Amino acid sequence: MHLLITGGAGFIGSHVVRHFVKRYPAYTITNLDSLTYAGNLGNLRDVEHLVNYRFVKGDITDQAFIDRLFLENRFDGVIHLAAESHVDRSIASPVEFVMTNVLGTVNLLNAARRVWDGCFEGKRFYHISTDEVYGSLGSEGIFTERTPYDPHSPYSASKAASDHFVRAWHDTYGLPVVISNCSNNYGPYQFPEKLIPLFINNIRLKKPLPVYGKGENVRDWLWVIDHASAIDVIFHKGKNGDTYNIGGHNEWKNIDLIGLLCDIMDRKLQREPGESSSLITHVADRAGHDLRYAIDSSKLQEELGWSPSIRFEEGLEKTVEWYLGNQDWLEQVTSGAYLDYYGKMYGSPSSGD
Ligand code: NAD
Ligand code: DAU
């Protein structure tokens, strides 16, 4: 099995690469990533020496390059994670999201279709998507695989479009595809623009914690390593043409999650109780901010036997320990262009005084 994983130098992709290279030594894993601000080969230091792993730097929006890569390698399977992934950036620069998330996905679909040329036995194109395509819930309800798409941000619209293209390649050309839609991930190696690592970094540096609006939005959090194990199960056992929701039934109002995170940080940094939460600053709400996400993953649990491995409180504690134990990683990824981004988003640099 020669497997192409796109976006393997990013947050979730690096956990997926690590999972597959270690668990399947007989598979060859090619990690294709253009190394944007979010891609970092430092996320894979512990596995990059393994003989079944190789890295290719390249951009999925470059159609000629993608066609050549597929012709030269004859992959048996693709797990496609490469994307622009941050909602706030999509509000500021939507076109990049169209290019990578939509055009990039179509380039991969076309290349797979051409190189597999109707011989689909043993082949699989697995597209990694998000629960945000389903839109926003009120205080009741839950997203199932049958919930109609209703994306609101440029990010979720681009992911919804890419999901539709993947289904179109299945229905029109018979490409063997599978899609999963996952809830919010957390854990090691997440870029500190997303809520949890951003707030860990800011607490570490005693910087304000910018809570959008009242902090009443709800997200459904999943340990990233559990997402990687779900991807393994779906890649190997998912039904051709099917969709699976992934989530851990773990809803948190932002402000409650932030309270828990502040308590853990006070303890780990041996600060006075309440010191971290005094950094909370309510700022203008995100435009089009979805109120609530909640994922029903019973199809995946019942049909394919997957279940999440750890409780959120334990996972959050481990996450804090990882970031505090890897402050050099945090320093490295928050230098350079990050400071410009942070200044534009929040009006002040996030590190240094
Ligand atoms: P990330 O931003 O951490 O990583 C994205 C990776 O894709 C980076 O390594 C980047 O360099 C690479 N990339 C971006 N543009 C590229 C291009 N044009 N060509 C090649 N590589 C490119 O993202 P993530 O949070 O790890 O998300 C991975 C996937 O999972 C995305 O498709 C995202 O939509 C989906 N997802 C994320 C979450 C979450 O909570 N983070 C939840 C559900 C689904
Ligand atoms: O639901 C899955 C999605 O989860 C993925 O598809 C996306 O790639 C991923 O980025 C994530 O999207 P969110 O927008 O939910 O994640 P983020 O960490 O940006 O924000 C989580 C919540 O915290 C959200 O309600 C906005 C709020 N927030 C975020 C930031 C960065 C703040 O209040 N302040 C902040 O500074």
Side-chain angles (χ1 to χ4, degrees):
M1 165 81 75
H2 189 176
L3 184 54
L4 175 69
I5 299 181
T6 72
F11 166 47
I12 302 171
S14 63
H15 289 280
V16 174
V17 166
R18 181 174 295 101
H19 178 100
F20 274 81
V21 291
K22 284 186 160 175
R23 183 143 190 204
Y24 301 105
Y27 291 9
T28 300
I29 308 293
T30 294
N31 170 17
L32 167 66
D33 199 296
S34 64
L35 301 181
T36 67
Y37 77 92
N40 183 356
L41 290 178
N43 298 357
L44 290 162
R45 284 284 173 257
D46 56 323
V47 293
E48 65 186 1
H49 63 283
L50 295 176
V51 289
N52 63 334
Y53 169 76
R54 93 186 165 119
F55 173 69
V56 175
K57 184 170 188 294
D59 190 330
I60 60 169
T61 66
D62 181 345
Q63 189 196 333
F65 162 74
I66 292 295
D67 285 347
R68 234 179 13 253
L69 184 76
F70 273 73
L71 271 174
E72 285 165 6
N73 290 278
R74 309 254 152 205
F75 304 113
D76 302 294
V78 177
I79 303 182
H80 173 36
L81 297 109
E84 288 294 334
S85 68
H86 191 38
V87 173
D88 293 326
R89 286 184 190 255
S90 83
I91 295 167
S93 316
V95 174
E96 284 169 38
F97 286 69
V98 178
M99 296 305 288
T100 290
N101 300 359
V102 186
L103 180 66
T105 301
V106 171
N107 283 340
L108 292 165
L109 288 166
N110 259 337
R113 177 185 162 226
R114 266 197 220 111
V115 79
W116 291 339
D117 194 23
C119 304
F120 294 142
E121 187 61 34
K123 305 289 191 279
R124 166 144 283 188
F125 188 105
Y126 181 0
H127 177 61
I128 305 300
S129 191
T130 169
D131 61 357
E132 298 200 13
V133 298
Y134 298 124
S136 181
L137 294 164
S139 54
E140 298 290 308
I142 192 157
F143 298 136
T144 74
E145 287 83 359
R146 288 169 308 285
T147 303
Y149 277 27
D150 181 24
H152 298 131
S153 71
Y155 164 68
S156 54
S158 69
K159 292 297 290 187
S162 64
D163 293 9
H164 289 315
F165 275 105
V166 172
R167 289 198 184 94
W169 257 244
H170 174 261
D171 296 348
T172 309
Y173 308 112
L175 198 76
V177 308
V178 67
I179 298 178
S180 58
N181 296 82
C182 188
S183 61
N184 286 61
N185 285 214
Y186 72 98
Y189 299 113
Q190 187 169 31
F191 194 76
E193 62 186 352
K194 309 278 166 65
L195 180 72
I196 291 177
L198 175 72
F199 279 32
I200 292 173
N201 194 38
N202 283 14
I203 293 171
R204 179 179 80 96
L205 300 169
K206 300 193 177 179
K207 298 285 175 188
L209 306 178
V211 176
Y212 297 161
K214 293 186 178 152
E216 289 189 336
N217 305 68
V218 174
R219 296 292 182 266
D220 187 350
W221 294 91
L222 183 71
W223 177 235
V224 62
I225 292 165
D226 285 335
H227 190 183
S229 75
I231 288 172
D232 179 353
V233 169
I234 294 167
F235 180 74
H236 289 103
K237 299 205 275 180
K239 270 197 221 124
N240 184 19
D242 232 342
T243 294
Y244 297 87
N245 279 352
I246 310 174
H249 292 287
N250 178 46
E251 291 180 52
W252 284 79
K253 209 179 256 193
N254 289 343
I255 200 69
D256 296 338
L257 184 163
I258 292 160
L260 175 64
L261 183 61
C262 286
D263 291 347
I264 297 174
M265 290 294 286
D266 284 343
R267 235 185 322 109
K268 298 282 178 199
L269 295 171
Q270 291 164 355
R271 292 183 184 167
E272 288 299 314
E275 202 175 323
S276 299
S277 59
S278 70
L279 298 168
I280 291 175
T281 311
H282 290 270
V283 299
D285 208 353
R286 173 185 276 175
H289 199 173
D290 287 336
L291 179 66
R292 176 172 163 256
Y293 304 144
I295 268 275
D296 176 358
S297 60
S298 53
K299 173 175 170 183
L300 171 63
Q301 305 211 19
E302 284 158 23
E303 288 184 15
L304 305 187
W306 172 87
S307 57
S309 69
I310 68 172
R311 288 182 58 242
F312 184 64
E313 288 80 351
E314 189 192 337
L316 192 61
E317 183 119 3
K318 278 189 180 198
T319 302
V320 167
E321 279 163 12
W322 187 85
Y323 284 96
L324 294 181
N326 289 276
Q327 297 191 37
D328 48 344
W329 183 91
L330 267 175
E331 297 292 346
Q332 188 228 320
V333 301
T334 55
S335 59
Y338 180 84
L339 297 176
D340 295 337
Y341 164 77
Y342 195 89
K344 278 192 200 119
M345 268 304 296
Y346 301 109
S348 69
S350 83
S351 63
D353 283 311

